[in-house]
Amino acid sequence: KKDIPAVNFIIHEIHCRRNIEICPYCSDSIPKSEMKNHIESEHVQVTCKCRMKMESSLLKDHEASSCPLRPVLCQFCDIQLAFSKLQEHELYCGARTEPCGRCGRHVLLRELQEHPRVCG
C-alpha cells in the first residue's frame, strides 16, 4: 500500500508476501509475526460497563464520549454522576435557589448566570 520504485518492486513484493498480512478486520498491513497480537489487542470484542459490546480498540473513545455511564459533573453543584442521570439531576438541582448578593432575591440556580442582567 505504498509507492515503491519500479526497480525494487519485485523484491519488495516477495518480501511483503512472505512477511506481511492484511488484517481481515481493518485491512491494515500487519507483520505476520504480530497479527495474533494485533487481533487480540485491537479487534477482540469487549463489553463496556454499560453492557455494550465493541472492539477493544473502540472502548476508550466510547467510555470518554458516548457511554451513558461515563462520569460527568453537574453544572450547578459539581457532583460527579453518570451521564444518563445528568438531565434528571440538573432539573432538580437547578431548581434550588440561592440569594442574590446584590438584590437579595432568591434566584434559581439555573437562572443565576442570567440574573445579573435583570437584577434590581
Side-chain angles (χ1 to χ4, degrees):
K1 296 184 177 182
K2 294 181 181 175
D3 291 334
I4 305 297
V7 179
N8 298 339
F9 186 77
I10 292 174
I11 293 170
H12 179 85
E13 187 177 34
I14 291 168
H15 169 79
C16 278
R17 287 182 190 267
R18 243 186 232 151
N19 299 303
I20 306 292
E21 281 186 82
I22 302 298
C23 175
Y25 300 100
C26 66
S27 300
D28 281 351
S29 299
I30 308 293
K32 285 184 179 182
S33 62
E34 296 176 23
M35 182 60 75
K36 183 179 178 187
N37 185 42
H38 167 78
I39 290 174
E40 288 174 357
S41 66
E42 298 294 319
H43 302 297
V44 168
Q45 291 286 310
V46 294
T47 304
C48 177
K49 58 188 170 201
C50 70
R51 297 192 177 132
M52 186 174 174
K53 292 184 186 230
M54 67 202 71
E55 289 186 1
S56 60
S57 61
L58 304 174
L59 183 62
K60 197 174 208 174
D61 285 340
H62 167 78
E63 288 176 333
S65 62
S66 61
C67 180
L69 298 180
R70 70 187 180 274
V72 290
L73 293 176
C74 169
Q75 63 178 314
F76 304 115
C77 67
D78 289 331
I79 192 172
Q80 188 172 6
L81 59 156
F83 178 79
S84 60
K85 308 253 186 220
L86 181 66
Q87 187 175 10
E88 180 184 350
H89 172 82
E90 285 186 341
L91 279 172
Y92 164 78
C93 194
R96 294 180 303 125
T97 61
E98 282 192 7
C100 171
R102 289 176 51 195
C103 69
R105 279 186 46 215
H106 285 272
V107 181
L108 292 174
L109 287 180
R110 67 173 156 251
E111 296 173 357
L112 209 50
Q113 284 185 335
E114 297 294 319
H115 179 72
R117 287 190 310 117
V118 296
C119 184

